[in-house]
Amino acid sequence: MMDERVVAYFRSMKLDAREAEQVFDLLDYDDSGEVSYEEFVDGCWKLQGEARSLDMKMIQLEVKALGRALRSVQQSMDQSQQKSRRSQVETAEELP
C-alpha cells in the first residue's frame, strides 16, 4: 500500500497513483533505477495537467523500450549474418 502523502501528492499533480511504477520509469530519466529529487520534481511538473500529457509520456517510454528491443534484434541479426557468411566462405574453401 502506498503512503497516503504520496497518493495525495500524485492527486494534487493530477496523476494516477496506481500507475506508480510506470510513473517511476518516466521520472527515472537516467535509467539508474533511482529517482533523484531533481528528476522527481522536474518529471512531475512535466506530467501535470490533462491525461493527454501523461499518455504521451507513457507512449514515449514505450517507444524508448521498443527502440532498445529493435537494436537488440538488429544486433542478433547482424551476428547471424556474419556467422552465415563465415560458414559460406569455409564451405567454399573446402570445395575441390
Side-chain angles (χ1 to χ4, degrees):
M1 172 95 6
M2 205 178 267
D3 187 311
E4 288 182 30
R5 294 172 295 175
V6 174
V7 173
Y9 181 77
F10 274 87
R11 243 187 247 133
S12 74
M13 299 298 286
K14 297 180 182 160
L15 297 172
D16 186 352
R18 293 174 298 194
E19 297 174 337
E21 185 175 342
Q22 291 172 325
V23 171
F24 175 86
D25 290 339
L26 287 172
L27 298 176
D28 185 19
Y29 291 117
D30 61 4
D31 293 324
S32 65
E34 299 178 355
V35 176
S36 69
Y37 175 77
E38 291 81 14
E39 285 176 318
F40 181 78
V41 172
D42 184 51
C44 285
W45 280 111
K46 288 179 180 176
L47 292 174
Q48 75 178 358
E50 298 298 317
R52 267 177 94 187
S53 177
L54 178 57
D55 292 340
M56 290 301 294
K57 293 296 182 180
M58 297 302 290
I59 290 170
Q60 288 174 345
L61 181 65
E62 290 176 21
V63 167
K64 185 178 176 182
L66 287 172
R68 284 192 298 263
L70 183 59
R71 281 188 293 280
S72 176
V73 168
Q74 182 65 46
Q75 288 174 346
S76 295
M77 290 176 65
D78 290 345
Q79 290 172 354
S80 294
Q81 190 176 29
Q82 289 172 357
K83 286 180 184 178
S84 177
R85 286 181 184 156
R86 279 189 291 236
S87 177
Q88 289 173 354
V89 168
E90 290 170 0
T91 302
E93 290 174 351
E94 292 173 1
L95 292 176

